[in-house]
Amino acid sequence: MADIQATDVDAMQKDEIEVDSLDDMEDFFELYDMNDLLVIHPYDGDMDEHVLEEVRPRYVIMYEPDAAFIRRVEVYRSSHEDRNVRVYFMYYGGSVEEQRYLSAVRKEKDAFTRLIKEKGNMALTITHEGAAPTDPQEQFLRTVNTRIAGGGRLAATAEPPRVVVDVREFRSSLPSLLHGRSMVVIPCMLTVGDYVLTPTICIERKSVRDLISSFKNGRLFNQAETMLQHYKHPMLLIEFDQNKSFTLDPFADHSFEKSIKSADDSRDLQSKIVLLTIAFPRLKIIWSSSPYQTAEIFAELKNKQDEPDPVRAVQIGLGMGEDPYEQQSFNTIPQDMLRAVPGVTAKNMMRLILEVRDLREVSNLGEAQLDEMVGKEAGRQVYRFFNRSVFEE
């Protein structure tokens, strides 16, 4: 190593190497302070977000207001709370430019409003732990009947759970939700109750609006009495609307003029429910916030219970000699037409359906015959409806 010496070329290169102290770098490259920097940038869509993150301005002046860029500035301000960002618009008041900006903001607001409404009415796909098991072994274990005493043999069945549903209940979404939970929905014309879950459990389903009307015409007391006569565990299900508050007064007008009347109606409904429970102590009341919760409640009530018999459920409440299979073959369209006739209520409509064959026979009945079937006042209204002249009197 001692014998190695630098050549003349290496010595010349060593003299050319200098050390820069970088003291005057800002003056040499003419760098500006960020507080004094002024950036003029046109609107460029998604690139505006990168410009905001790179420049990080404190003041934003828009020569022409743009709704999309304003939303990007709002996102920038929310992500940089330590920077006091101020935004200024430049436009002539009362000009077409101002109206164009206001129109864009109005369209954006209407779009969000429509989106919220569409999302509220959109069909939901429910996938949760309460869904039916897909594993065959787990499905078999769930069907094992453990309610056997005295050392009896275990009984297992591969049949899915069954629910007997009144055909009038198919106007609601609950039967579809029960079917979605792997339950067999058996439609029948039930005289007592709306849903039969087990041989001992019968449920009468009421919405808040139906509950109020049932209390007014006294139909609910008759329905509760018939359920107590034929079932060991009768239940009243009060189901609320999932899009409304979970209160007894969801349809009330909360304005100042009607707030006192709405509170009185709510207290009156609560007092009627209390009187119902006093009159029928065995009647259980189920509160449900939505049809989805009702389906979960039904699944819990049917857990490890015996399956209902559809034939017996139809026969309960019928008179002697009435054919239960004939009840299941009724057409719902004539029933809807008969329900619209003055004097026909849900309480006396079943008597008319059992006594007559069709609507033509109802229209040809005399007033005395109608009085025997539906009562004097209701029979007079039905008779006058079918025998009224089409011409003005």
Side-chain angles (χ1 to χ4, degrees), residues 16-27:
E16 293 178 356
I17 297 176
E18 297 181 359
V19 178
D20 190 359
S21 61
L22 302 179
D23 294 336
D24 57 347
M25 183 182 65
E26 295 184 358
D27 296 336

Side-chain angles (χ1 to χ4, degrees), residues 165-171 187-190 328 332 335:
V165 183
D166 189 23
V167 294
R168 292 174 289 251
E169 285 294 315
F170 281 85
R171 300 174 182 175
C188 297
M189 179 64 73
L190 299 180
Q328 302 182 48
T332 58
Q335 292 185 37

Side-chain angles (χ1 to χ4, degrees), residues 9 22 39 62 65 96 102 143 145 148 161 189 223 248 263 266 273:
V9 178
L22 302 179
V39 177
M62 283 183 282
V96 178
L102 295 178
T143 57
N145 186 5
I148 301 176
M189 179 64 73
Q223 293 172 341
L248 280 177
S266 178
I273 294 177

Side-chain angles (χ1 to χ4, degrees), residues 251-268:
F251 305 101
D253 187 356
H254 295 283
S255 60
F256 178 76
E257 293 81 1
K258 298 184 178 180
S259 58
I260 299 178
K261 183 179 183 300
S262 301
D264 295 339
D265 294 340
S266 178
R267 287 194 295 268
D268 182 61

Side-chain angles (χ1 to χ4, degrees), residues 2 14 21 58 92 104 118 125 270 273 301 336 357:
K14 183 177 180 181
S21 61
R58 291 183 177 271
Y92 292 99
E118 290 293 336
T125 303
Q270 295 177 13
I273 294 177
L301 292 175
D336 294 337
R357 179 179 299 178

Side-chain angles (χ1 to χ4, degrees), residues 164-168 188-196 313-314 350:
V164 181
V165 183
D166 189 23
V167 294
R168 292 174 289 251
C188 297
M189 179 64 73
L190 299 180
T191 308
V192 179
D194 295 329
Y195 295 86
V196 179
V314 174
M350 185 56 64

Side-chain angles (χ1 to χ4, degrees), residues 202-269:
C202 178
I203 296 179
E204 181 70 28
R205 173 181 166 273
K206 297 288 184 185
S207 63
V208 178
R209 192 182 299 273
D210 294 337
L211 183 66
I212 296 173
S213 62
S214 298
F215 273 124
K216 288 182 178 180
N217 55 28
R219 186 174 73 250
L220 183 58
F221 288 89
N222 296 331
Q223 293 172 341
E225 185 177 1
T226 54
M227 286 194 299
L228 286 169
Q229 292 176 357
H230 299 93
Y231 289 96
K232 183 178 180 180
H233 301 292
M235 300 181 184
L236 172 63
L237 171 66
I238 302 177
E239 187 178 271
F240 292 79
D241 191 352
Q242 61 181 353
N243 298 323
K244 297 183 181 296
S245 58
F246 193 16
T247 63
L248 280 177
D249 195 17
F251 305 101
D253 187 356
H254 295 283
S255 60
F256 178 76
E257 293 81 1
K258 298 184 178 180
S259 58
I260 299 178
K261 183 179 183 300
S262 301
D264 295 339
D265 294 340
S266 178
R267 287 194 295 268
D268 182 61
L269 181 59

Side-chain angles (χ1 to χ4, degrees), residues 57-60 73 76-77 80 83-87:
R58 291 183 177 271
Y59 301 94
V60 178
V73 172
Y76 168 73
R77 290 183 61 180
H80 299 82
R83 303 179 67 86
N84 187 15
V85 181
R86 296 185 179 182
V87 182

